[in-house]
Amino acid sequence: MARRWVADFGEALPEQLDRAYQLVGITPAEHGEHATSVAAALAVVVAQDADPSIPDDAWRRIKFRHLDITRAADPEDETDPDPLA
């Protein structure tokens, strides 16, 4: 069975997001057009916290069907419900 990778943008720490952008080679401003790549990289960064042997480039080999992406709604914007809830 393939590993499930989780990219939880609602729980991600700022340094984890920074590291994900670094792995993909983009700035946060470019997130929109690279959203799936950033999600895969974030999943790798979080997994590396538990298992540092996971290589940095593992995000490039994650299949979309093995990636769970979640995000938190903006708590200050009542019109922004979590679309993945």
Side-chain angles (χ1 to χ4, degrees), residues 71-83:
R71 78 163 185 88
D74 182 346
E76 296 179 18
D77 183 357
E78 292 180 17
T79 64
D80 182 27
D82 186 346

Side-chain angles (χ1 to χ4, degrees), residues 38-68:
V38 173
L42 178 60
V44 166
V45 169
V46 171
Q48 285 176 329
D49 288 345
D51 181 0
S53 70
I54 297 171
D56 286 347
D57 67 346
W59 70 270
R60 295 178 182 270
R61 296 182 298 280
I62 295 174
K63 292 183 169 65
F64 189 73
R65 68 178 174 262
H66 298 145
L67 181 62
D68 295 327

Side-chain angles (χ1 to χ4, degrees), residues 8-23 26-28 31 38 41-43 45-46 49:
D8 188 342
F9 287 91
E11 295 293 321
L13 301 173
E15 54 270 10
Q16 290 173 319
L17 283 171
D18 290 344
R19 178 78 174 121
Y21 291 126
Q22 180 185 24
L23 289 178
I26 64 168
T27 65
H31 180 117
V38 173
L42 178 60
V45 169
V46 171
D49 288 345

